[in-house]
Amino acid sequence: MAHRNRPEDLVERVVVGTVLGDAMLAGLRRLAQVDASARHYPAEAAESPSR
């Protein structure tokens, strides 16, 4: 278990966490944009086909 404390492993975990975290936040941001758009334009959102 001593290898878990190597700087290379820490950097790898930080990079992977950053990449995955960015993808997750981008997805949440897109969901929030769709929700805000549907609230602002309710009639148009109801008429458009779902994806």
PDB file of all heavy atoms in Angstrom, residues 14-43:
ATOM      1  N   VAL A  14      -5.606  13.130  -9.366  1.00  0.00           N
ATOM      2  CA  VAL A  14      -6.065  14.507  -9.537  1.00  0.00           C
ATOM      3  C   VAL A  14      -6.487  14.749 -10.985  1.00  0.00           C
ATOM      4  O   VAL A  14      -7.538  15.346 -11.247  1.00  0.00           O
ATOM      5  CB  VAL A  14      -4.967  15.510  -9.108  1.00  0.00           C
ATOM      6  CG1 VAL A  14      -5.312  16.914  -9.548  1.00  0.00           C
ATOM      7  CG2 VAL A  14      -4.768  15.455  -7.599  1.00  0.00           C
ATOM      8  N   VAL A  15      -5.702  14.267 -11.929  1.00  0.00           N
ATOM      9  CA  VAL A  15      -6.019  14.461 -13.348  1.00  0.00           C
ATOM     10  C   VAL A  15      -7.309  13.735 -13.704  1.00  0.00           C
ATOM     11  O   VAL A  15      -8.199  14.301 -14.343  1.00  0.00           O
ATOM     12  CB  VAL A  15      -4.849  13.995 -14.243  1.00  0.00           C
ATOM     13  CG1 VAL A  15      -5.261  13.943 -15.705  1.00  0.00           C
ATOM     14  CG2 VAL A  15      -3.654  14.916 -14.060  1.00  0.00           C
ATOM     15  N   VAL A  16      -7.435  12.483 -13.291  1.00  0.00           N
ATOM     16  CA  VAL A  16      -8.645  11.718 -13.583  1.00  0.00           C
ATOM     17  C   VAL A  16      -9.854  12.385 -12.929  1.00  0.00           C
ATOM     18  O   VAL A  16     -10.910  12.530 -13.550  1.00  0.00           O
ATOM     19  CB  VAL A  16      -8.492  10.250 -13.119  1.00  0.00           C
ATOM     20  CG1 VAL A  16      -9.820   9.520 -13.162  1.00  0.00           C
ATOM     21  CG2 VAL A  16      -7.461   9.535 -13.977  1.00  0.00           C
ATOM     22  N   GLY A  17      -9.705  12.817 -11.700  1.00  0.00           N
ATOM     23  CA  GLY A  17     -10.806  13.498 -11.010  1.00  0.00           C
ATOM     24  C   GLY A  17     -11.197  14.791 -11.696  1.00  0.00           C
ATOM     25  O   GLY A  17     -12.384  15.121 -11.794  1.00  0.00           O
ATOM     26  N   THR A  18     -10.215  15.512 -12.192  1.00  0.00           N
ATOM     27  CA  THR A  18     -10.497  16.766 -12.890  1.00  0.00           C
ATOM     28  C   THR A  18     -11.247  16.512 -14.192  1.00  0.00           C
ATOM     29  O   THR A  18     -12.233  17.185 -14.497  1.00  0.00           O
ATOM     30  CB  THR A  18      -9.178  17.518 -13.180  1.00  0.00           C
ATOM     31  OG1 THR A  18      -8.538  17.801 -11.942  1.00  0.00           O
ATOM     32  CG2 THR A  18      -9.433  18.802 -13.928  1.00  0.00           C
ATOM     33  N   VAL A  19     -10.813  15.521 -14.950  1.00  0.00           N
ATOM     34  CA  VAL A  19     -11.454  15.218 -16.228  1.00  0.00           C
ATOM     35  C   VAL A  19     -12.884  14.736 -15.998  1.00  0.00           C
ATOM     36  O   VAL A  19     -13.828  15.210 -16.647  1.00  0.00           O
ATOM     37  CB  VAL A  19     -10.637  14.167 -17.013  1.00  0.00           C
ATOM     38  CG1 VAL A  19     -11.411  13.641 -18.203  1.00  0.00           C
ATOM     39  CG2 VAL A  19      -9.305  14.752 -17.444  1.00  0.00           C
ATOM     40  N   LEU A  20     -13.068  13.798 -15.082  1.00  0.00           N
ATOM     41  CA  LEU A  20     -14.410  13.281 -14.812  1.00  0.00           C
ATOM     42  C   LEU A  20     -15.302  14.345 -14.185  1.00  0.00           C
ATOM     43  O   LEU A  20     -16.485  14.446 -14.514  1.00  0.00           O
ATOM     44  CB  LEU A  20     -14.331  12.048 -13.913  1.00  0.00           C
ATOM     45  CG  LEU A  20     -13.660  10.823 -14.531  1.00  0.00           C
ATOM     46  CD1 LEU A  20     -13.599   9.688 -13.523  1.00  0.00           C
ATOM     47  CD2 LEU A  20     -14.358  10.390 -15.795  1.00  0.00           C
ATOM     48  N   GLY A  21     -14.740  15.138 -13.296  1.00  0.00           N
ATOM     49  CA  GLY A  21     -15.515  16.206 -12.667  1.00  0.00           C
ATOM     50  C   GLY A  21     -15.961  17.241 -13.671  1.00  0.00           C
ATOM     51  O   GLY A  21     -17.095  17.725 -13.617  1.00  0.00           O
ATOM     52  N   ASP A  22     -15.100  17.571 -14.613  1.00  0.00           N
ATOM     53  CA  ASP A  22     -15.455  18.540 -15.651  1.00  0.00           C
ATOM     54  C   ASP A  22     -16.583  18.010 -16.523  1.00  0.00           C
ATOM     55  O   ASP A  22     -17.519  18.746 -16.849  1.00  0.00           O
ATOM     56  CB  ASP A  22     -14.234  18.872 -16.501  1.00  0.00           C
ATOM     57  CG  ASP A  22     -14.529  19.950 -17.527  1.00  0.00           C
ATOM     58  OD1 ASP A  22     -15.063  21.008 -17.138  1.00  0.00           O
ATOM     59  OD2 ASP A  22     -14.239  19.721 -18.720  1.00  0.00           O
ATOM     60  N   ALA A  23     -16.509  16.735 -16.888  1.00  0.00           N
ATOM     61  CA  ALA A  23     -17.563  16.133 -17.705  1.00  0.00           C
ATOM     62  C   ALA A  23     -18.893  16.119 -16.940  1.00  0.00           C
ATOM     63  O   ALA A  23     -19.953  16.403 -17.512  1.00  0.00           O
ATOM     64  CB  ALA A  23     -17.175  14.721 -18.123  1.00  0.00           C
ATOM     65  N   MET A  24     -18.836  15.807 -15.670  1.00  0.00           N
ATOM     66  CA  MET A  24     -20.050  15.778 -14.861  1.00  0.00           C
ATOM     67  C   MET A  24     -20.651  17.179 -14.745  1.00  0.00           C
ATOM     68  O   MET A  24     -21.860  17.359 -14.919  1.00  0.00           O
ATOM     69  CB  MET A  24     -19.754  15.238 -13.466  1.00  0.00           C
ATOM     70  CG  MET A  24     -20.990  15.177 -12.578  1.00  0.00           C
ATOM     71  SD  MET A  24     -20.615  14.790 -10.874  1.00  0.00           S
ATOM     72  CE  MET A  24     -19.755  16.261 -10.370  1.00  0.00           C
ATOM     73  N   LEU A  25     -19.828  18.170 -14.477  1.00  0.00           N
ATOM     74  CA  LEU A  25     -20.332  19.537 -14.354  1.00  0.00           C
ATOM     75  C   LEU A  25     -20.876  20.055 -15.680  1.00  0.00           C
ATOM     76  O   LEU A  25     -21.881  20.776 -15.696  1.00  0.00           O
ATOM     77  CB  LEU A  25     -19.234  20.460 -13.825  1.00  0.00           C
ATOM     78  CG  LEU A  25     -18.868  20.241 -12.362  1.00  0.00           C
ATOM     79  CD1 LEU A  25     -17.686  21.134 -11.974  1.00  0.00           C
ATOM     80  CD2 LEU A  25     -20.051  20.499 -11.456  1.00  0.00           C
ATOM     81  N   ALA A  26     -20.261  19.685 -16.781  1.00  0.00           N
ATOM     82  CA  ALA A  26     -20.766  20.108 -18.090  1.00  0.00           C
ATOM     83  C   ALA A  26     -22.146  19.503 -18.341  1.00  0.00           C
ATOM     84  O   ALA A  26     -23.045  20.176 -18.866  1.00  0.00           O
ATOM     85  CB  ALA A  26     -19.795  19.697 -19.197  1.00  0.00           C
ATOM     86  N   GLY A  27     -22.324  18.245 -17.965  1.00  0.00           N
ATOM     87  CA  GLY A  27     -23.632  17.610 -18.110  1.00  0.00           C
ATOM     88  C   GLY A  27     -24.684  18.253 -17.239  1.00  0.00           C
ATOM     89  O   GLY A  27     -25.816  18.490 -17.679  1.00  0.00           O
ATOM     90  N   LEU A  28     -24.329  18.550 -15.998  1.00  0.00           N
ATOM     91  CA  LEU A  28     -25.276  19.227 -15.102  1.00  0.00           C
ATOM     92  C   LEU A  28     -25.615  20.628 -15.603  1.00  0.00           C
ATOM     93  O   LEU A  28     -26.765  21.065 -15.514  1.00  0.00           O
ATOM     94  CB  LEU A  28     -24.701  19.292 -13.684  1.00  0.00           C
ATOM     95  CG  LEU A  28     -24.632  17.970 -12.937  1.00  0.00           C
ATOM     96  CD1 LEU A  28     -23.889  18.152 -11.614  1.00  0.00           C
ATOM     97  CD2 LEU A  28     -26.017  17.408 -12.702  1.00  0.00           C
ATOM     98  N   ARG A  29     -24.617  21.320 -16.137  1.00  0.00           N
ATOM     99  CA  ARG A  29     -24.849  22.657 -16.685  1.00  0.00           C
ATOM    100  C   ARG A  29     -25.829  22.586 -17.859  1.00  0.00           C
ATOM    101  O   ARG A  29     -26.742  23.397 -17.979  1.00  0.00           O
ATOM    102  CB  ARG A  29     -23.522  23.272 -17.126  1.00  0.00           C
ATOM    103  CG  ARG A  29     -23.631  24.699 -17.620  1.00  0.00           C
ATOM    104  CD  ARG A  29     -22.268  25.274 -18.026  1.00  0.00           C
ATOM    105  NE  ARG A  29     -21.274  25.120 -16.995  1.00  0.00           N
ATOM    106  CZ  ARG A  29     -20.171  24.352 -17.114  1.00  0.00           C
ATOM    107  NH1 ARG A  29     -19.928  23.699 -18.227  1.00  0.00           N
ATOM    108  NH2 ARG A  29     -19.309  24.272 -16.114  1.00  0.00           N
ATOM    109  N   ARG A  30     -25.655  21.581 -18.714  1.00  0.00           N
ATOM    110  CA  ARG A  30     -26.553  21.428 -19.871  1.00  0.00           C
ATOM    111  C   ARG A  30     -27.972  21.114 -19.408  1.00  0.00           C
ATOM    112  O   ARG A  30     -28.940  21.652 -19.955  1.00  0.00           O
ATOM    113  CB  ARG A  30     -26.024  20.321 -20.787  1.00  0.00           C
ATOM    114  CG  ARG A  30     -26.884  20.095 -21.999  1.00  0.00           C
ATOM    115  CD  ARG A  30     -26.878  21.311 -22.921  1.00  0.00           C
ATOM    116  NE  ARG A  30     -27.811  21.095 -24.015  1.00  0.00           N
ATOM    117  CZ  ARG A  30     -28.653  22.013 -24.458  1.00  0.00           C
ATOM    118  NH1 ARG A  30     -28.658  23.225 -23.929  1.00  0.00           N
ATOM    119  NH2 ARG A  30     -29.468  21.744 -25.429  1.00  0.00           N
ATOM    120  N   LEU A  31     -28.123  20.259 -18.408  1.00  0.00           N
ATOM    121  CA  LEU A  31     -29.455  19.964 -17.872  1.00  0.00           C
ATOM    122  C   LEU A  31     -30.111  21.221 -17.300  1.00  0.00           C
ATOM    123  O   LEU A  31     -31.301  21.450 -17.482  1.00  0.00           O
ATOM    124  CB  LEU A  31     -29.365  18.888 -16.793  1.00  0.00           C
ATOM    125  CG  LEU A  31     -29.092  17.472 -17.278  1.00  0.00           C
ATOM    126  CD1 LEU A  31     -28.844  16.547 -16.097  1.00  0.00           C
ATOM    127  CD2 LEU A  31     -30.236  16.961 -18.120  1.00  0.00           C
ATOM    128  N   ALA A  32     -29.318  22.038 -16.614  1.00  0.00           N
ATOM    129  CA  ALA A  32     -29.854  23.278 -16.055  1.00  0.00           C
ATOM    130  C   ALA A  32     -30.271  24.242 -17.163  1.00  0.00           C
ATOM    131  O   ALA A  32     -31.291  24.930 -17.046  1.00  0.00           O
ATOM    132  CB  ALA A  32     -28.812  23.930 -15.142  1.00  0.00           C
ATOM    133  N   GLN A  33     -29.512  24.286 -18.251  1.00  0.00           N
ATOM    134  CA  GLN A  33     -29.871  25.159 -19.373  1.00  0.00           C
ATOM    135  C   GLN A  33     -31.175  24.701 -20.028  1.00  0.00           C
ATOM    136  O   GLN A  33     -32.028  25.530 -20.364  1.00  0.00           O
ATOM    137  CB  GLN A  33     -28.747  25.174 -20.406  1.00  0.00           C
ATOM    138  CG  GLN A  33     -27.507  25.894 -19.942  1.00  0.00           C
ATOM    139  CD  GLN A  33     -26.341  25.706 -20.891  1.00  0.00           C
ATOM    140  OE1 GLN A  33     -26.320  24.782 -21.700  1.00  0.00           O
ATOM    141  NE2 GLN A  33     -25.351  26.585 -20.777  1.00  0.00           N
ATOM    142  N   VAL A  34     -31.330  23.401 -20.191  1.00  0.00           N
ATOM    143  CA  VAL A  34     -32.562  22.871 -20.780  1.00  0.00           C
ATOM    144  C   VAL A  34     -33.747  23.179 -19.870  1.00  0.00           C
ATOM    145  O   VAL A  34     -34.810  23.590 -20.341  1.00  0.00           O
ATOM    146  CB  VAL A  34     -32.428  21.350 -21.027  1.00  0.00           C
ATOM    147  CG1 VAL A  34     -33.764  20.731 -21.387  1.00  0.00           C
ATOM    148  CG2 VAL A  34     -31.411  21.088 -22.125  1.00  0.00           C
ATOM    149  N   ASP A  35     -33.562  23.002 -18.574  1.00  0.00           N
ATOM    150  CA  ASP A  35     -34.640  23.289 -17.627  1.00  0.00           C
ATOM    151  C   ASP A  35     -35.012  24.766 -17.650  1.00  0.00           C
ATOM    152  O   ASP A  35     -36.196  25.117 -17.701  1.00  0.00           O
ATOM    153  CB  ASP A  35     -34.208  22.882 -16.213  1.00  0.00           C
ATOM    154  CG  ASP A  35     -35.281  23.162 -15.192  1.00  0.00           C
ATOM    155  OD1 ASP A  35     -36.367  22.545 -15.278  1.00  0.00           O
ATOM    156  OD2 ASP A  35     -35.041  24.017 -14.311  1.00  0.00           O
ATOM    157  N   ALA A  36     -34.011  25.646 -17.637  1.00  0.00           N
ATOM    158  CA  ALA A  36     -34.277  27.082 -17.664  1.00  0.00           C
ATOM    159  C   ALA A  36     -34.975  27.486 -18.965  1.00  0.00           C
ATOM    160  O   ALA A  36     -35.904  28.302 -18.947  1.00  0.00           O
ATOM    161  CB  ALA A  36     -32.977  27.867 -17.495  1.00  0.00           C
ATOM    162  N   SER A  37     -34.564  26.891 -20.064  1.00  0.00           N
ATOM    163  CA  SER A  37     -35.195  27.192 -21.339  1.00  0.00           C
ATOM    164  C   SER A  37     -36.655  26.732 -21.353  1.00  0.00           C
ATOM    165  O   SER A  37     -37.537  27.447 -21.831  1.00  0.00           O
ATOM    166  CB  SER A  37     -34.423  26.507 -22.470  1.00  0.00           C
ATOM    167  OG  SER A  37     -35.032  26.743 -23.709  1.00  0.00           O
ATOM    168  N   ALA A  38     -36.906  25.545 -20.823  1.00  0.00           N
ATOM    169  CA  ALA A  38     -38.277  25.026 -20.778  1.00  0.00           C
ATOM    170  C   ALA A  38     -39.161  25.886 -19.876  1.00  0.00           C
ATOM    171  O   ALA A  38     -40.346  26.079 -20.157  1.00  0.00           O
ATOM    172  CB  ALA A  38     -38.273  23.584 -20.288  1.00  0.00           C
ATOM    173  N   ARG A  39     -38.596  26.400 -18.811  1.00  0.00           N
ATOM    174  CA  ARG A  39     -39.378  27.276 -17.919  1.00  0.00           C
ATOM    175  C   ARG A  39     -39.653  28.629 -18.572  1.00  0.00           C
ATOM    176  O   ARG A  39     -40.683  29.234 -18.363  1.00  0.00           O
ATOM    177  CB  ARG A  39     -38.649  27.474 -16.597  1.00  0.00           C
ATOM    178  CG  ARG A  39     -38.626  26.232 -15.736  1.00  0.00           C
ATOM    179  CD  ARG A  39     -37.750  26.464 -14.514  1.00  0.00           C
ATOM    180  NE  ARG A  39     -37.521  25.234 -13.802  1.00  0.00           N
ATOM    181  CZ  ARG A  39     -38.208  24.857 -12.738  1.00  0.00           C
ATOM    182  NH1 ARG A  39     -39.168  25.630 -12.266  1.00  0.00           N
ATOM    183  NH2 ARG A  39     -37.939  23.725 -12.134  1.00  0.00           N
ATOM    184  N   HIS A  40     -38.688  29.124 -19.340  1.00  0.00           N
ATOM    185  CA  HIS A  40     -38.831  30.437 -19.965  1.00  0.00           C
ATOM    186  C   HIS A  40     -39.739  30.386 -21.186  1.00  0.00           C
ATOM    187  O   HIS A  40     -40.460  31.339 -21.476  1.00  0.00           O
ATOM    188  CB  HIS A  40     -37.448  30.971 -20.360  1.00  0.00           C
ATOM    189  CG  HIS A  40     -37.461  32.427 -20.702  1.00  0.00           C
ATOM    190  ND1 HIS A  40     -37.597  32.865 -22.001  1.00  0.00           N
ATOM    191  CD2 HIS A  40     -37.357  33.534 -19.939  1.00  0.00           C
ATOM    192  CE1 HIS A  40     -37.573  34.184 -22.011  1.00  0.00           C
ATOM    193  NE2 HIS A  40     -37.428  34.622 -20.768  1.00  0.00           N
ATOM    194  N   TYR A  41     -39.690  29.280 -21.931  1.00  0.00           N
ATOM    195  CA  TYR A  41     -40.492  29.103 -23.146  1.00  0.00           C
ATOM    196  C   TYR A  41     -41.345  27.836 -23.021  1.00  0.00           C
ATOM    197  O   TYR A  41     -41.142  26.868 -23.748  1.00  0.00           O
ATOM    198  CB  TYR A  41     -39.583  28.978 -24.375  1.00  0.00           C
ATOM    199  CG  TYR A  41     -38.643  30.132 -24.555  1.00  0.00           C
ATOM    200  CD1 TYR A  41     -37.288  30.009 -24.260  1.00  0.00           C
ATOM    201  CD2 TYR A  41     -39.102  31.355 -25.032  1.00  0.00           C
ATOM    202  CE1 TYR A  41     -36.412  31.074 -24.426  1.00  0.00           C
ATOM    203  CE2 TYR A  41     -38.238  32.422 -25.211  1.00  0.00           C
ATOM    204  CZ  TYR A  41     -36.900  32.278 -24.900  1.00  0.00           C
ATOM    205  OH  TYR A  41     -36.048  33.331 -25.073  1.00  0.00           O
ATOM    206  N   PRO A  42     -42.316  27.806 -22.120  1.00  0.00           N
ATOM    207  CA  PRO A  42     -43.058  26.555 -21.860  1.00  0.00           C
ATOM    208  C   PRO A  42     -43.860  26.058 -23.058  1.00  0.00           C
ATOM    209  O   PRO A  42     -43.910  24.855 -23.301  1.00  0.00           O
ATOM    210  CB  PRO A  42     -43.971  26.910 -20.695  1.00  0.00           C
ATOM    211  CG  PRO A  42     -44.055  28.385 -20.680  1.00  0.00           C
ATOM    212  CD  PRO A  42     -42.789  28.898 -21.292  1.00  0.00           C
ATOM    213  N   ALA A  43     -44.497  26.920 -23.833  1.00  0.00           N
ATOM    214  CA  ALA A  43     -45.310  26.471 -24.957  1.00  0.00           C
ATOM    215  C   ALA A  43     -44.438  25.860 -26.046  1.00  0.00           C
ATOM    216  O   ALA A  43     -44.771  24.832 -26.624  1.00  0.00           O
ATOM    217  CB  ALA A  43     -46.124  27.626 -25.515  1.00  0.00           C
TER     218      ALA A  43
END
